[in-house]
Amino acid sequence: RDGARERGVSVAVRLYFLRHGRALACADWSGDDDLRPLTPEGEAAMAREARTIATMDLGLKVIVTSPLVRARRTAEIVAAAVGGEVSVVEDERLAGGFDVKALRALVVERGAPKVLMLVGHEPDFSSVIGALIGGGRVVCKKGGLARVDAADGDLKAAELAWLLPPSQLGGG
């Protein structure tokens, strides 16, 4: 059953925020940070999470991801597990400094979809979710998935439906 409908909230946009999986530590990576990959364990955990996400039947058609390698790979793993016609689209705004203004622009540019998954980074996701829901401290762990329901396309009336740590998705 749809919890938002039970609470009487009309949902115009359902946003899924997926933080990328476990990546190599900065100290263990000598290259450009944009190219820092998931660890082998991070890839395996993300594959397990992606299988769980696929069973959740989220209605995904598009996954918008940061172009950073660790986020892009996370999005590709999820898209492959979900299957069907899910496309992966890179958006530079998710690479760093992502905020509510950028999210609103992204939603408008995507044609105000009913469902949208974003794959990105901290601390951006936690601050955006906190701002959308009117304040509060939210922490997205690596591989964590949050759902935010917005009552309008302008994202001014939104609520956090749930926030799942990777352990609840099979990645922990």
mmCIF file of all heavy atoms in Angstrom, residues 15-69:
data_model
loop_
_atom_site.group_PDB
_atom_site.id
_atom_site.type_symbol
_atom_site.label_atom_id
_atom_site.label_comp_id
_atom_site.label_asym_id
_atom_site.label_seq_id
_atom_site.Cartn_x
_atom_site.Cartn_y
_atom_site.Cartn_z
ATOM 1 N N LEU A 15 10.854 11.161 -5.416
ATOM 2 C CA LEU A 15 12.296 11.246 -5.628
ATOM 3 C C LEU A 15 13.010 10.177 -4.813
ATOM 4 O O LEU A 15 12.743 10.017 -3.620
ATOM 5 C CB LEU A 15 12.807 12.625 -5.193
ATOM 6 C CG LEU A 15 12.213 13.820 -5.929
ATOM 7 C CD1 LEU A 15 12.563 15.115 -5.199
ATOM 8 C CD2 LEU A 15 12.720 13.856 -7.363
ATOM 9 N N TYR A 16 13.909 9.472 -5.456
ATOM 10 C CA TYR A 16 14.756 8.491 -4.780
ATOM 11 C C TYR A 16 16.183 9.015 -4.817
ATOM 12 O O TYR A 16 16.699 9.327 -5.895
ATOM 13 C CB TYR A 16 14.678 7.126 -5.470
ATOM 14 C CG TYR A 16 13.314 6.506 -5.351
ATOM 15 C CD1 TYR A 16 12.385 6.598 -6.375
ATOM 16 C CD2 TYR A 16 12.947 5.833 -4.185
ATOM 17 C CE1 TYR A 16 11.131 6.037 -6.257
ATOM 18 C CE2 TYR A 16 11.689 5.274 -4.053
ATOM 19 C CZ TYR A 16 10.789 5.374 -5.099
ATOM 20 O OH TYR A 16 9.534 4.823 -4.963
ATOM 21 N N PHE A 17 16.784 9.130 -3.657
ATOM 22 C CA PHE A 17 18.166 9.583 -3.528
ATOM 23 C C PHE A 17 19.008 8.371 -3.145
ATOM 24 O O PHE A 17 18.839 7.820 -2.057
ATOM 25 C CB PHE A 17 18.290 10.645 -2.425
ATOM 26 C CG PHE A 17 17.597 11.937 -2.738
ATOM 27 C CD1 PHE A 17 16.243 12.096 -2.486
ATOM 28 C CD2 PHE A 17 18.313 13.000 -3.265
ATOM 29 C CE1 PHE A 17 15.607 13.295 -2.752
ATOM 30 C CE2 PHE A 17 17.681 14.211 -3.540
ATOM 31 C CZ PHE A 17 16.329 14.359 -3.288
ATOM 32 N N LEU A 18 19.896 7.956 -4.024
ATOM 33 C CA LEU A 18 20.772 6.822 -3.765
ATOM 34 C C LEU A 18 22.210 7.323 -3.716
ATOM 35 O O LEU A 18 22.728 7.839 -4.703
ATOM 36 C CB LEU A 18 20.635 5.767 -4.864
ATOM 37 C CG LEU A 18 21.557 4.548 -4.770
ATOM 38 C CD1 LEU A 18 21.288 3.752 -3.487
ATOM 39 C CD2 LEU A 18 21.392 3.668 -6.002
ATOM 40 N N ARG A 19 22.811 7.181 -2.552
ATOM 41 C CA ARG A 19 24.217 7.562 -2.438
ATOM 42 C C ARG A 19 25.057 6.436 -3.039
ATOM 43 O O ARG A 19 24.750 5.258 -2.874
ATOM 44 C CB ARG A 19 24.603 7.791 -0.984
ATOM 45 C CG ARG A 19 26.032 8.299 -0.866
ATOM 46 C CD ARG A 19 26.380 8.687 0.539
ATOM 47 N NE ARG A 19 27.786 9.048 0.617
ATOM 48 C CZ ARG A 19 28.484 9.043 1.736
ATOM 49 N NH1 ARG A 19 27.899 8.727 2.876
ATOM 50 N NH2 ARG A 19 29.751 9.372 1.726
ATOM 51 N N HIS A 20 26.099 6.827 -3.738
ATOM 52 C CA HIS A 20 26.950 5.830 -4.399
ATOM 53 C C HIS A 20 27.479 4.812 -3.393
ATOM 54 O O HIS A 20 27.547 5.059 -2.188
ATOM 55 C CB HIS A 20 28.108 6.504 -5.134
ATOM 56 C CG HIS A 20 29.095 7.174 -4.224
ATOM 57 N ND1 HIS A 20 30.040 6.477 -3.495
ATOM 58 C CD2 HIS A 20 29.281 8.474 -3.925
ATOM 59 C CE1 HIS A 20 30.769 7.318 -2.783
ATOM 60 N NE2 HIS A 20 30.318 8.541 -3.022
ATOM 61 N N GLY A 21 27.874 3.657 -3.901
ATOM 62 C CA GLY A 21 28.417 2.596 -3.066
ATOM 63 C C GLY A 21 29.811 2.921 -2.555
ATOM 64 O O GLY A 21 30.393 3.965 -2.860
ATOM 65 N N ARG A 22 30.340 1.992 -1.772
ATOM 66 C CA ARG A 22 31.670 2.173 -1.173
ATOM 67 C C ARG A 22 32.740 2.290 -2.248
ATOM 68 O O ARG A 22 32.870 1.413 -3.099
ATOM 69 C CB ARG A 22 32.003 1.006 -0.241
ATOM 70 C CG ARG A 22 31.237 1.071 1.067
ATOM 71 C CD ARG A 22 31.535 -0.134 1.908
ATOM 72 N NE ARG A 22 30.781 -1.243 1.295
ATOM 73 C CZ ARG A 22 30.791 -2.486 1.695
ATOM 74 N NH1 ARG A 22 31.554 -2.851 2.699
ATOM 75 N NH2 ARG A 22 30.056 -3.405 1.111
ATOM 76 N N ALA A 23 33.512 3.353 -2.145
ATOM 77 C CA ALA A 23 34.583 3.624 -3.111
ATOM 78 C C ALA A 23 35.934 3.537 -2.414
ATOM 79 O O ALA A 23 36.022 3.520 -1.188
ATOM 80 C CB ALA A 23 34.394 5.019 -3.703
ATOM 81 N N LEU A 24 36.984 3.491 -3.217
ATOM 82 C CA LEU A 24 38.332 3.531 -2.656
ATOM 83 C C LEU A 24 38.483 4.786 -1.813
ATOM 84 O O LEU A 24 37.953 5.847 -2.171
ATOM 85 C CB LEU A 24 39.378 3.554 -3.766
ATOM 86 C CG LEU A 24 39.622 2.254 -4.529
ATOM 87 C CD1 LEU A 24 40.592 2.505 -5.681
ATOM 88 C CD2 LEU A 24 40.150 1.172 -3.607
ATOM 89 N N ALA A 25 39.195 4.675 -0.716
ATOM 90 C CA ALA A 25 39.454 5.839 0.129
ATOM 91 C C ALA A 25 40.350 6.821 -0.618
ATOM 92 O O ALA A 25 41.196 6.412 -1.427
ATOM 93 C CB ALA A 25 40.133 5.398 1.428
ATOM 94 N N CYS A 26 40.160 8.088 -0.349
ATOM 95 C CA CYS A 26 40.981 9.120 -0.988
ATOM 96 C C CYS A 26 42.469 8.836 -0.772
ATOM 97 O O CYS A 26 43.280 9.029 -1.683
ATOM 98 C CB CYS A 26 40.630 10.504 -0.444
ATOM 99 S SG CYS A 26 38.989 11.070 -0.905
ATOM 100 N N ALA A 27 42.829 8.376 0.424
ATOM 101 C CA ALA A 27 44.234 8.105 0.751
ATOM 102 C C ALA A 27 44.800 6.960 -0.087
ATOM 103 O O ALA A 27 46.017 6.878 -0.284
ATOM 104 C CB ALA A 27 44.366 7.776 2.234
ATOM 105 N N ASP A 28 43.932 6.084 -0.589
ATOM 106 C CA ASP A 28 44.372 4.937 -1.380
ATOM 107 C C ASP A 28 44.299 5.189 -2.884
ATOM 108 O O ASP A 28 44.553 4.285 -3.674
ATOM 109 C CB ASP A 28 43.524 3.707 -1.038
ATOM 110 C CG ASP A 28 43.681 3.277 0.401
ATOM 111 O OD1 ASP A 28 44.760 3.526 0.979
ATOM 112 O OD2 ASP A 28 42.715 2.709 0.950
ATOM 113 N N TRP A 29 43.949 6.391 -3.255
ATOM 114 C CA TRP A 29 43.758 6.733 -4.669
ATOM 115 C C TRP A 29 44.642 7.925 -5.013
ATOM 116 O O TRP A 29 44.538 8.962 -4.372
ATOM 117 C CB TRP A 29 42.293 7.056 -4.931
ATOM 118 C CG TRP A 29 41.980 7.415 -6.341
ATOM 119 C CD1 TRP A 29 41.682 8.659 -6.819
ATOM 120 C CD2 TRP A 29 41.931 6.541 -7.471
ATOM 121 N NE1 TRP A 29 41.452 8.609 -8.165
ATOM 122 C CE2 TRP A 29 41.596 7.312 -8.595
ATOM 123 C CE3 TRP A 29 42.152 5.177 -7.632
ATOM 124 C CZ2 TRP A 29 41.464 6.768 -9.870
ATOM 125 C CZ3 TRP A 29 42.013 4.631 -8.903
ATOM 126 C CH2 TRP A 29 41.677 5.416 -10.005
ATOM 127 N N SER A 30 45.484 7.759 -6.007
ATOM 128 C CA SER A 30 46.407 8.844 -6.360
ATOM 129 C C SER A 30 45.955 9.641 -7.576
ATOM 130 O O SER A 30 46.551 10.654 -7.908
ATOM 131 C CB SER A 30 47.814 8.275 -6.608
ATOM 132 O OG SER A 30 47.776 7.346 -7.678
ATOM 133 N N GLY A 31 44.902 9.207 -8.225
ATOM 134 C CA GLY A 31 44.439 9.899 -9.423
ATOM 135 C C GLY A 31 43.436 10.997 -9.124
ATOM 136 O O GLY A 31 43.219 11.385 -7.975
ATOM 137 N N ASP A 32 42.829 11.484 -10.188
ATOM 138 C CA ASP A 32 41.779 12.494 -10.122
ATOM 139 C C ASP A 32 40.613 11.918 -9.305
ATOM 140 O O ASP A 32 40.165 10.798 -9.567
ATOM 141 C CB ASP A 32 41.334 12.826 -11.545
ATOM 142 C CG ASP A 32 40.268 13.894 -11.638
ATOM 143 O OD1 ASP A 32 39.615 14.200 -10.623
ATOM 144 O OD2 ASP A 32 40.081 14.421 -12.740
ATOM 145 N N ASP A 33 40.116 12.655 -8.320
ATOM 146 C CA ASP A 33 39.040 12.166 -7.467
ATOM 147 C C ASP A 33 37.789 11.825 -8.267
ATOM 148 O O ASP A 33 37.041 10.929 -7.894
ATOM 149 C CB ASP A 33 38.709 13.180 -6.364
ATOM 150 C CG ASP A 33 37.723 12.600 -5.362
ATOM 151 O OD1 ASP A 33 38.047 11.565 -4.755
ATOM 152 O OD2 ASP A 33 36.626 13.172 -5.223
ATOM 153 N N ASP A 34 37.557 12.525 -9.374
ATOM 154 C CA ASP A 34 36.394 12.226 -10.212
ATOM 155 C C ASP A 34 36.439 10.792 -10.749
ATOM 156 O O ASP A 34 35.410 10.227 -11.098
ATOM 157 C CB ASP A 34 36.307 13.189 -11.389
ATOM 158 C CG ASP A 34 35.959 14.603 -10.977
ATOM 159 O OD1 ASP A 34 35.828 14.875 -9.762
ATOM 160 O OD2 ASP A 34 35.825 15.457 -11.878
ATOM 161 N N LEU A 35 37.634 10.220 -10.832
ATOM 162 C CA LEU A 35 37.820 8.885 -11.398
ATOM 163 C C LEU A 35 37.927 7.792 -10.327
ATOM 164 O O LEU A 35 38.117 6.624 -10.655
ATOM 165 C CB LEU A 35 39.075 8.861 -12.272
ATOM 166 C CG LEU A 35 39.085 9.877 -13.419
ATOM 167 C CD1 LEU A 35 40.407 9.830 -14.155
ATOM 168 C CD2 LEU A 35 37.921 9.641 -14.371
ATOM 169 N N ARG A 36 37.793 8.162 -9.062
ATOM 170 C CA ARG A 36 37.916 7.192 -7.975
ATOM 171 C C ARG A 36 36.765 6.194 -8.047
ATOM 172 O O ARG A 36 35.596 6.556 -7.985
ATOM 173 C CB ARG A 36 37.928 7.926 -6.630
ATOM 174 C CG ARG A 36 38.267 7.064 -5.446
ATOM 175 C CD ARG A 36 38.680 7.901 -4.231
ATOM 176 N NE ARG A 36 37.805 9.020 -3.938
ATOM 177 C CZ ARG A 36 36.773 8.974 -3.093
ATOM 178 N NH1 ARG A 36 36.497 7.867 -2.454
ATOM 179 N NH2 ARG A 36 36.055 10.053 -2.883
ATOM 180 N N PRO A 37 37.092 4.898 -8.171
ATOM 181 C CA PRO A 37 36.057 3.879 -8.400
ATOM 182 C C PRO A 37 35.508 3.272 -7.116
ATOM 183 O O PRO A 37 36.033 3.472 -6.021
ATOM 184 C CB PRO A 37 36.824 2.804 -9.184
ATOM 185 C CG PRO A 37 38.205 2.872 -8.584
ATOM 186 C CD PRO A 37 38.447 4.353 -8.307
ATOM 187 N N LEU A 38 34.467 2.472 -7.294
ATOM 188 C CA LEU A 38 33.964 1.630 -6.223
ATOM 189 C C LEU A 38 35.021 0.571 -5.923
ATOM 190 O O LEU A 38 35.760 0.152 -6.814
ATOM 191 C CB LEU A 38 32.665 0.924 -6.641
ATOM 192 C CG LEU A 38 31.446 1.790 -6.944
ATOM 193 C CD1 LEU A 38 30.301 0.920 -7.456
ATOM 194 C CD2 LEU A 38 31.017 2.585 -5.733
ATOM 195 N N THR A 39 35.074 0.126 -4.696
ATOM 196 C CA THR A 39 35.942 -0.994 -4.347
ATOM 197 C C THR A 39 35.282 -2.271 -4.883
ATOM 198 O O THR A 39 34.071 -2.281 -5.164
ATOM 199 C CB THR A 39 36.109 -1.132 -2.827
ATOM 200 O OG1 THR A 39 34.824 -1.423 -2.262
ATOM 201 C CG2 THR A 39 36.690 0.133 -2.197
ATOM 202 N N PRO A 40 36.038 -3.358 -4.994
ATOM 203 C CA PRO A 40 35.395 -4.623 -5.384
ATOM 204 C C PRO A 40 34.262 -5.002 -4.413
ATOM 205 O O PRO A 40 33.198 -5.467 -4.847
ATOM 206 C CB PRO A 40 36.542 -5.640 -5.327
ATOM 207 C CG PRO A 40 37.773 -4.816 -5.595
ATOM 208 C CD PRO A 40 37.500 -3.489 -4.929
ATOM 209 N N GLU A 41 34.487 -4.767 -3.113
ATOM 210 C CA GLU A 41 33.439 -5.038 -2.131
ATOM 211 C C GLU A 41 32.251 -4.103 -2.335
ATOM 212 O O GLU A 41 31.094 -4.493 -2.147
ATOM 213 C CB GLU A 41 33.975 -4.886 -0.702
ATOM 214 C CG GLU A 41 35.074 -5.862 -0.342
ATOM 215 C CD GLU A 41 36.466 -5.422 -0.840
ATOM 216 O OE1 GLU A 41 36.647 -4.256 -1.278
ATOM 217 O OE2 GLU A 41 37.365 -6.270 -0.806
ATOM 218 N N GLY A 42 32.536 -2.851 -2.688
ATOM 219 C CA GLY A 42 31.481 -1.884 -2.960
ATOM 220 C C GLY A 42 30.642 -2.284 -4.170
ATOM 221 O O GLY A 42 29.417 -2.129 -4.166
ATOM 222 N N GLU A 43 31.299 -2.799 -5.204
ATOM 223 C CA GLU A 43 30.573 -3.286 -6.390
ATOM 224 C C GLU A 43 29.661 -4.449 -6.016
ATOM 225 O O GLU A 43 28.496 -4.490 -6.408
ATOM 226 C CB GLU A 43 31.567 -3.741 -7.465
ATOM 227 C CG GLU A 43 32.278 -2.613 -8.156
ATOM 228 C CD GLU A 43 31.946 -2.499 -9.622
ATOM 229 O OE1 GLU A 43 31.149 -3.300 -10.163
ATOM 230 O OE2 GLU A 43 32.490 -1.572 -10.233
ATOM 231 N N ALA A 44 30.203 -5.403 -5.239
ATOM 232 C CA ALA A 44 29.418 -6.576 -4.845
ATOM 233 C C ALA A 44 28.229 -6.176 -3.970
ATOM 234 O O ALA A 44 27.109 -6.667 -4.163
ATOM 235 C CB ALA A 44 30.313 -7.579 -4.115
ATOM 236 N N ALA A 45 28.467 -5.285 -3.007
ATOM 237 C CA ALA A 45 27.387 -4.824 -2.134
ATOM 238 C C ALA A 45 26.329 -4.084 -2.948
ATOM 239 O O ALA A 45 25.120 -4.263 -2.724
ATOM 240 C CB ALA A 45 27.940 -3.927 -1.027
ATOM 241 N N MET A 46 26.769 -3.266 -3.896
ATOM 242 C CA MET A 46 25.815 -2.514 -4.713
ATOM 243 C C MET A 46 24.988 -3.448 -5.588
ATOM 244 O O MET A 46 23.788 -3.217 -5.799
ATOM 245 C CB MET A 46 26.587 -1.499 -5.570
ATOM 246 C CG MET A 46 25.799 -0.271 -5.937
ATOM 247 S SD MET A 46 25.265 0.668 -4.505
ATOM 248 C CE MET A 46 23.519 0.503 -4.681
ATOM 249 N N ALA A 47 25.603 -4.543 -6.060
ATOM 250 C CA ALA A 47 24.859 -5.518 -6.859
ATOM 251 C C ALA A 47 23.771 -6.175 -6.013
ATOM 252 O O ALA A 47 22.643 -6.372 -6.480
ATOM 253 C CB ALA A 47 25.807 -6.568 -7.429
ATOM 254 N N ARG A 48 24.083 -6.486 -4.748
ATOM 255 C CA ARG A 48 23.065 -7.058 -3.853
ATOM 256 C C ARG A 48 21.948 -6.045 -3.607
ATOM 257 O O ARG A 48 20.765 -6.388 -3.638
ATOM 258 C CB ARG A 48 23.700 -7.492 -2.520
ATOM 259 C CG ARG A 48 24.594 -8.717 -2.636
ATOM 260 C CD ARG A 48 25.021 -9.262 -1.283
ATOM 261 N NE ARG A 48 25.688 -8.295 -0.427
ATOM 262 C CZ ARG A 48 27.001 -8.046 -0.430
ATOM 263 N NH1 ARG A 48 27.789 -8.674 -1.279
ATOM 264 N NH2 ARG A 48 27.517 -7.158 0.420
ATOM 265 N N GLU A 49 22.332 -4.799 -3.347
ATOM 266 C CA GLU A 49 21.329 -3.755 -3.122
ATOM 267 C C GLU A 49 20.452 -3.566 -4.355
ATOM 268 O O GLU A 49 19.239 -3.391 -4.249
ATOM 269 C CB GLU A 49 22.013 -2.425 -2.782
ATOM 270 C CG GLU A 49 22.595 -2.374 -1.405
ATOM 271 C CD GLU A 49 23.066 -0.979 -1.043
ATOM 272 O OE1 GLU A 49 22.336 -0.012 -1.352
ATOM 273 O OE2 GLU A 49 24.152 -0.864 -0.463
ATOM 274 N N ALA A 50 21.091 -3.590 -5.517
ATOM 275 C CA ALA A 50 20.353 -3.374 -6.764
ATOM 276 C C ALA A 50 19.306 -4.460 -6.981
ATOM 277 O O ALA A 50 18.197 -4.175 -7.450
ATOM 278 C CB ALA A 50 21.327 -3.321 -7.935
ATOM 279 N N ARG A 51 19.629 -5.691 -6.609
ATOM 280 C CA ARG A 51 18.640 -6.772 -6.721
ATOM 281 C C ARG A 51 17.453 -6.491 -5.801
ATOM 282 O O ARG A 51 16.299 -6.719 -6.171
ATOM 283 C CB ARG A 51 19.287 -8.120 -6.414
ATOM 284 C CG ARG A 51 20.200 -8.618 -7.532
ATOM 285 C CD ARG A 51 20.632 -10.063 -7.347
ATOM 286 N NE ARG A 51 21.470 -10.274 -6.179
ATOM 287 C CZ ARG A 51 22.792 -10.151 -6.166
ATOM 288 N NH1 ARG A 51 23.433 -9.772 -7.268
ATOM 289 N NH2 ARG A 51 23.482 -10.393 -5.063
ATOM 290 N N THR A 52 17.724 -5.985 -4.604
ATOM 291 C CA THR A 52 16.633 -5.618 -3.693
ATOM 292 C C THR A 52 15.824 -4.471 -4.267
ATOM 293 O O THR A 52 14.585 -4.505 -4.251
ATOM 294 C CB THR A 52 17.199 -5.235 -2.310
ATOM 295 O OG1 THR A 52 17.920 -6.345 -1.778
ATOM 296 C CG2 THR A 52 16.088 -4.832 -1.356
ATOM 297 N N ILE A 53 16.499 -3.453 -4.771
ATOM 298 C CA ILE A 53 15.813 -2.302 -5.365
ATOM 299 C C ILE A 53 14.912 -2.757 -6.512
ATOM 300 O O ILE A 53 13.784 -2.278 -6.659
ATOM 301 C CB ILE A 53 16.828 -1.231 -5.808
ATOM 302 C CG1 ILE A 53 17.467 -0.579 -4.565
ATOM 303 C CG2 ILE A 53 16.185 -0.185 -6.713
ATOM 304 C CD1 ILE A 53 18.688 0.286 -4.863
ATOM 305 N N ALA A 54 15.394 -3.704 -7.307
ATOM 306 C CA ALA A 54 14.590 -4.211 -8.432
ATOM 307 C C ALA A 54 13.294 -4.849 -7.940
ATOM 308 O O ALA A 54 12.256 -4.722 -8.592
ATOM 309 C CB ALA A 54 15.406 -5.207 -9.245
ATOM 310 N N THR A 55 13.330 -5.498 -6.784
ATOM 311 C CA THR A 55 12.114 -6.139 -6.257
ATOM 312 C C THR A 55 11.133 -5.123 -5.674
ATOM 313 O O THR A 55 9.973 -5.451 -5.446
ATOM 314 C CB THR A 55 12.438 -7.190 -5.167
ATOM 315 O OG1 THR A 55 12.951 -6.528 -4.013
ATOM 316 C CG2 THR A 55 13.415 -8.235 -5.676
ATOM 317 N N MET A 56 11.601 -3.916 -5.439
ATOM 318 C CA MET A 56 10.754 -2.883 -4.832
ATOM 319 C C MET A 56 9.802 -2.246 -5.835
ATOM 320 O O MET A 56 8.908 -1.495 -5.453
ATOM 321 C CB MET A 56 11.631 -1.807 -4.178
ATOM 322 C CG MET A 56 12.434 -2.346 -3.009
ATOM 323 S SD MET A 56 13.707 -1.193 -2.423
ATOM 324 C CE MET A 56 12.698 0.007 -1.553
ATOM 325 N N ASP A 57 9.994 -2.513 -7.123
ATOM 326 C CA ASP A 57 9.109 -2.006 -8.176
ATOM 327 C C ASP A 57 8.855 -0.506 -8.016
ATOM 328 O O ASP A 57 7.726 -0.069 -7.794
ATOM 329 C CB ASP A 57 7.798 -2.795 -8.182
ATOM 330 C CG ASP A 57 6.983 -2.545 -9.438
ATOM 331 O OD1 ASP A 57 7.562 -2.164 -10.483
ATOM 332 O OD2 ASP A 57 5.749 -2.701 -9.378
ATOM 333 N N LEU A 58 9.933 0.275 -8.106
ATOM 334 C CA LEU A 58 9.862 1.716 -7.874
ATOM 335 C C LEU A 58 9.294 2.503 -9.060
ATOM 336 O O LEU A 58 9.023 3.689 -8.931
ATOM 337 C CB LEU A 58 11.254 2.258 -7.531
ATOM 338 C CG LEU A 58 11.957 1.618 -6.330
ATOM 339 C CD1 LEU A 58 13.327 2.242 -6.119
ATOM 340 C CD2 LEU A 58 11.110 1.721 -5.078
ATOM 341 N N GLY A 59 9.141 1.864 -10.189
ATOM 342 C CA GLY A 59 8.628 2.572 -11.360
ATOM 343 C C GLY A 59 9.686 3.422 -12.047
ATOM 344 O O GLY A 59 9.362 4.422 -12.692
ATOM 345 N N LEU A 60 10.941 3.027 -11.938
ATOM 346 C CA LEU A 60 12.031 3.810 -12.516
ATOM 347 C C LEU A 60 12.041 3.752 -14.041
ATOM 348 O O LEU A 60 11.911 2.681 -14.627
ATOM 349 C CB LEU A 60 13.389 3.301 -12.008
ATOM 350 C CG LEU A 60 13.652 3.390 -10.517
ATOM 351 C CD1 LEU A 60 15.006 2.762 -10.192
ATOM 352 C CD2 LEU A 60 13.599 4.828 -10.052
ATOM 353 N N LYS A 61 12.205 4.899 -14.634
ATOM 354 C CA LYS A 61 12.401 5.016 -16.082
ATOM 355 C C LYS A 61 13.758 5.647 -16.378
ATOM 356 O O LYS A 61 14.359 5.395 -17.407
ATOM 357 C CB LYS A 61 11.296 5.871 -16.721
ATOM 358 C CG LYS A 61 9.909 5.337 -16.525
ATOM 359 C CD LYS A 61 9.674 4.079 -17.306
ATOM 360 C CE LYS A 61 8.228 3.642 -17.173
ATOM 361 N NZ LYS A 61 8.090 2.264 -16.818
ATOM 362 N N VAL A 62 14.193 6.511 -15.448
ATOM 363 C CA VAL A 62 15.469 7.199 -15.637
ATOM 364 C C VAL A 62 16.177 7.319 -14.294
ATOM 365 O O VAL A 62 15.544 7.525 -13.256
ATOM 366 C CB VAL A 62 15.281 8.596 -16.295
ATOM 367 C CG1 VAL A 62 14.520 9.543 -15.395
ATOM 368 C CG2 VAL A 62 16.614 9.197 -16.686
ATOM 369 N N ILE A 63 17.494 7.166 -14.359
ATOM 370 C CA ILE A 63 18.351 7.398 -13.205
ATOM 371 C C ILE A 63 19.300 8.512 -13.607
ATOM 372 O O ILE A 63 20.023 8.386 -14.595
ATOM 373 C CB ILE A 63 19.143 6.140 -12.816
ATOM 374 C CG1 ILE A 63 18.203 4.993 -12.449
ATOM 375 C CG2 ILE A 63 20.106 6.451 -11.670
ATOM 376 C CD1 ILE A 63 18.892 3.654 -12.231
ATOM 377 N N VAL A 64 19.268 9.613 -12.870
ATOM 378 C CA VAL A 64 20.166 10.734 -13.147
ATOM 379 C C VAL A 64 21.315 10.638 -12.156
ATOM 380 O O VAL A 64 21.092 10.560 -10.943
ATOM 381 C CB VAL A 64 19.440 12.095 -13.018
ATOM 382 C CG1 VAL A 64 20.395 13.239 -13.350
ATOM 383 C CG2 VAL A 64 18.222 12.136 -13.943
ATOM 384 N N THR A 65 22.524 10.622 -12.673
ATOM 385 C CA THR A 65 23.683 10.383 -11.847
ATOM 386 C C THR A 65 24.747 11.454 -11.986
ATOM 387 O O THR A 65 24.866 12.089 -13.027
ATOM 388 C CB THR A 65 24.312 9.006 -12.170
ATOM 389 O OG1 THR A 65 25.417 8.775 -11.298
ATOM 390 C CG2 THR A 65 24.791 8.926 -13.608
ATOM 391 N N SER A 66 25.494 11.596 -10.923
ATOM 392 C CA SER A 66 26.723 12.373 -10.970
ATOM 393 C C SER A 66 27.632 11.701 -11.998
ATOM 394 O O SER A 66 27.629 10.473 -12.118
ATOM 395 C CB SER A 66 27.389 12.343 -9.589
ATOM 396 O OG SER A 66 28.766 12.604 -9.682
ATOM 397 N N PRO A 67 28.437 12.470 -12.721
ATOM 398 C CA PRO A 67 29.358 11.856 -13.674
ATOM 399 C C PRO A 67 30.589 11.224 -13.020
ATOM 400 O O PRO A 67 31.359 10.541 -13.705
ATOM 401 C CB PRO A 67 29.759 13.029 -14.575
ATOM 402 C CG PRO A 67 29.594 14.232 -13.726
ATOM 403 C CD PRO A 67 28.435 13.933 -12.809
ATOM 404 N N LEU A 68 30.781 11.423 -11.720
ATOM 405 C CA LEU A 68 31.928 10.819 -11.059
ATOM 406 C C LEU A 68 31.812 9.297 -11.158
ATOM 407 O O LEU A 68 30.717 8.733 -11.010
ATOM 408 C CB LEU A 68 32.015 11.258 -9.596
ATOM 409 C CG LEU A 68 32.702 12.634 -9.371
ATOM 410 C CD1 LEU A 68 32.000 13.769 -10.041
ATOM 411 C CD2 LEU A 68 32.884 12.880 -7.900
ATOM 412 N N VAL A 69 32.933 8.648 -11.409
ATOM 413 C CA VAL A 69 32.956 7.222 -11.730
ATOM 414 C C VAL A 69 32.208 6.379 -10.707
ATOM 415 O O VAL A 69 31.429 5.491 -11.069
ATOM 416 C CB VAL A 69 34.415 6.733 -11.913
ATOM 417 C CG1 VAL A 69 34.509 5.219 -11.939
ATOM 418 C CG2 VAL A 69 35.003 7.321 -13.182
#
